[in-house]
Amino acid sequence: MNHQKRRANAKVPVLLALLAVSAAALLLQTLPRGEQAEIAAERARRLALVQLGRPLPGTPDLASLPDRLAAHGLRLGAPVFIRIFKREFALELWMLRDGRFHLFETYPVCRWSGWLGPKLVQGDKQAPEGFYSVDAGALNPSSRWHRSFNLGFPNVYDRAHGRTGTFLMVHGGCSSTGCFAMTDPVIDEIWRLVGAALKGGQPRFHVHVFPFSMTDANMERHAASPWASFWRQLKAGSDAFERTLLPPQVQVCNRRY
């Protein structure tokens, strides 16, 4: 009898997670159309998958890192560059090969908090947007969320606009109050790649955080946003990288990137 009870109890978390997946799918169908509703539904779906112990869609075979690197002609320790796209729930990791950066992997972001737009003040639970850089001192191997690295918010631009906040991270897990949560297995691989790059001589790596893929169509779709002018500045940096496959040199002048 006790054995049967233990088996029944063990099924409870799985059943709850399955119910959460179903609820997320229903939410996506029944919420009024709109970007915030779609983002909320996607967050619910991803959290439910994690609670089921399932990898997020788009997660690479994390056990095959050496083979995947070799397939791209890349080596562990090569310089890295990261781009994050909130709307797409995606983190791109690029690696240097033959003088240009090559897209190695696109990892699914499990969770980011807030909505499209930059972080403004401490406690607004908004994930930042902008151009950041990370050195070895920003890596935390004993983070509350498994492993993490600090984006360096507020940067020069943020400070010029009076924006405040601390400890804005890319980390493990699937919870966020202004950070980008990647799940523990995914942050382990990202950590390995960025750590090797820093140990290999890259003094710091750049992280560019965008509200969405900076296409002309997306910019037109969000033209009425109060952040449209700010996003045009981010698009200039995105376009520069797309042209050269090298992170642009970013400076702030007259409170503009």
Side-chain angles (χ1 to χ4, degrees):
M1 185 68 177
N2 289 337
H3 178 66
Q4 291 178 341
K5 188 173 183 180
R6 283 196 300 270
R7 289 181 59 189
N9 289 340
K11 292 179 180 179
V12 170
V14 175
L15 291 173
L16 289 175
L18 286 170
L19 286 172
V21 172
S22 300
L26 183 62
L27 181 65
L28 186 58
Q29 295 173 9
T30 59
L31 278 171
R33 292 185 62 84
E35 201 153 42
Q36 288 195 3
E38 292 169 0
I39 290 170
E42 184 60 27
R43 285 174 177 156
R45 184 175 75 94
R46 289 173 183 246
L47 180 59
L49 288 171
V50 168
Q51 290 174 337
L52 277 171
R54 296 179 180 174
L56 296 176
T59 301
D61 179 4
L62 300 173
S64 65
L65 178 59
D67 291 340
R68 287 160 44 226
L69 285 169
H72 285 269
L74 298 167
R75 62 174 181 83
L76 191 66
V80 300
F81 169 59
I82 288 176
R83 301 199 299 178
I84 299 173
F85 302 93
K86 287 180 174 179
R87 184 64 184 87
E88 289 82 2
F89 285 78
L91 182 150
E92 294 180 349
L93 193 143
W94 299 67
M95 299 180 71
L96 192 66
R97 186 188 71 190
D98 300 326
R100 293 288 185 272
F101 279 86
H102 173 84
L103 179 60
F104 170 61
E105 202 63 78
T106 301
Y107 300 95
V109 176
C110 192
R111 193 172 188 87
W112 54 273
S113 61
W115 306 105
L116 302 185
K119 181 173 183 63
L120 300 179
V121 296
Q122 177 79 31
D124 64 4
K125 298 183 180 181
Q126 182 78 4
E129 296 171 4
F131 303 121
Y132 300 92
S133 64
V134 178
D135 62 16
L139 273 62
N140 182 0
S142 303
S143 169
R144 173 189 174 194
W145 295 107
H146 188 53
R147 301 183 190 276
S148 67
F149 60 82
N150 193 324
L151 287 172
F153 179 95
N155 62 15
V156 173
Y157 180 95
D158 299 321
R159 293 194 297 272
H161 288 263
R163 298 175 183 173
T164 59
T166 55
F167 304 115
L168 279 301
M169 308 282 187
V170 176
H171 59 60
C174 192
S175 180
S176 170
T177 54
C179 301
F180 296 95
M182 303 301 302
T183 74
D184 290 356
V186 168
I187 198 63
D188 278 340
E189 177 164 296
I190 295 171
W191 179 275
R192 185 177 178 188
L193 293 166
V194 302
L198 293 170
K199 288 179 181 177
Q202 185 178 17
R204 57 179 58 240
F205 61 91
H206 296 281
V207 182
H208 293 182
V209 185
F210 301 105
F212 39 72
S213 179
M214 306 305 283
T215 62
D216 290 338
N218 278 339
M219 293 299 294
E220 183 176 352
R221 187 174 301 118
H222 295 88
S225 169
W227 300 115
S229 176
F230 170 64
W231 289 340
R232 283 193 291 271
Q233 297 173 57
L234 299 188
K235 187 178 189 315
S238 176
D239 289 348
F241 174 73
E242 296 282 352
R243 286 193 302 269
T244 65
L245 297 183
L246 292 171
Q249 293 186 355
V250 177
Q251 296 181 331
V252 177
C253 182
N254 294 327
R255 303 173 72 233
R256 291 179 59 85
Y257 280 124

